[in-house]
Amino acid sequence: FHIGEREEKCIIEDLPSDTLVFGNYKVQRWDTHKHDFLESAPGLGMYVTVSAPSGEVLLSKLYGPQGTFSFTSHLSGEHIICFQSNSTRLLAIAGSKLRIHLDVRVGEHFFDESAVQAKEKVDEVHVRLVHLIEQIQHVSKEQDYEREREEKFRKTSEETNSNILWWAIVQTLLLISVGIWQIKSLRDFFIAKKLV
C-alpha cells in the first residue's frame, strides 16, 4: 500500500485469543528524479503500533526501513496494526510517497532449521510432529473463535427479531386504539350536530 511520508496507515486483523502474529514489511521511497520507488529508504524508519480490541497497546516500537515484528493476541477481536514513518521533514516538503510491502502471518509457528541441524540428537520427525500439533491447536482456536462469533451473531439476530415482533404488536395496538378513538369521536360529533 502507499502512504504519505508523514501519514499514519492502519489495518485491522480479526484474531482469536492467544494467537501469535508475525509481520514483515519493507519501505520504499518515491524518487522524483528517477520517477520510481527506490529499493531502500536509508535513514527512514517505521513506527509500528498494535492495539488490542480493549484499547491496550500490545506493541509500539520504531523499526528500520525493513523489519519483522511479532505479538500475541490476548483477547479475541479486531486488532489494529498502524504504521507511520519517523520522517522529520517539514510537512510542506514531505509530500513524498512511501510504498510499504507488508506480509502478515497469523498463527504460524516458525522453527529454525539451523537449530535443528545443530542438534544432532533431535529427530526431524519429532520436530515436524510438534509443528503439526501447534498448527492443529491453532486451527482449533480459530474454529472456537468462529463458533463464538457465530453464537454472538445469532444472539443479536434473535434479539433483533424479538424487538421487531414487539414493535409490530405495539404499532397494531396503537392503530386499533386510534381507530376506536376516531369512531367514538365521529359518533359523538354526529350526535351533537343531530345528524344521526
Side-chain angles (χ1 to χ4, degrees), residues 174-185:
L174 188 64
L175 287 173
I176 290 172
S177 61
V178 167
I180 291 172
W181 177 78
Q182 283 181 336
I183 290 172
K184 184 178 178 331
S185 296

Side-chain angles (χ1 to χ4, degrees), residues 3-6 30 32 89-98:
I3 64 171
E5 196 164 327
R6 306 258 312 190
W30 177 257
T32 54
R89 296 164 74 181
L90 295 175
L91 194 59
I93 59 173
S96 179
K97 286 185 184 178
L98 300 176

Side-chain angles (χ1 to χ4, degrees), residues 70-160:
S70 64
F71 65 93
T72 302
S73 64
H74 301 296
L75 299 171
S76 59
E78 294 180 344
H79 289 68
I80 301 171
I81 305 170
C82 296
F83 296 90
Q84 185 176 19
S85 73
N86 68 341
S87 175
T88 57
R89 296 164 74 181
L90 295 175
L91 194 59
I93 59 173
S96 179
K97 286 185 184 178
L98 300 176
R99 178 189 287 169
I100 299 177
H101 302 273
L102 177 63
D103 180 26
V104 177
R105 297 175 187 258
V106 177
E108 292 202 10
H109 299 278
F110 299 106
F111 56 91
D112 190 5
E113 291 288 339
S114 61
V116 172
Q117 292 172 357
K119 297 179 182 181
E120 294 177 8
K121 294 181 181 179
V122 177
D123 186 18
E124 187 177 333
V125 174
H126 175 70
V127 172
R128 299 238 184 245
L129 184 63
V130 169
H131 182 68
L132 286 174
I133 290 171
E134 287 177 350
Q135 285 183 332
I136 290 170
Q137 289 171 344
H138 172 68
V139 168
S140 176
K141 280 184 197 175
E142 284 208 11
Q143 286 178 336
D144 290 341
Y145 177 60
E146 291 300 325
R147 191 175 301 116
E148 183 181 304
R149 284 181 62 196
E150 190 271 333
E151 184 178 317
K152 189 160 64 169
F153 179 75
R154 186 176 345 107
K155 184 178 177 184
T156 304
S157 297
E158 288 173 359
E159 288 174 0
T160 304

Side-chain angles (χ1 to χ4, degrees), residues 28-47:
Q28 295 176 316
R29 180 183 280 157
W30 177 257
D31 188 359
T32 54
H33 301 297
K34 295 181 181 178
H35 298 289
D36 196 10
F37 286 96
L38 297 177
E39 274 306 309
S40 65
L44 186 66
M46 293 299 285
Y47 286 106

Side-chain angles (χ1 to χ4, degrees), residues 41-56:
L44 186 66
M46 293 299 285
Y47 286 106
V48 178
T49 307
V50 179
S51 301
S54 63
E56 174 190 3

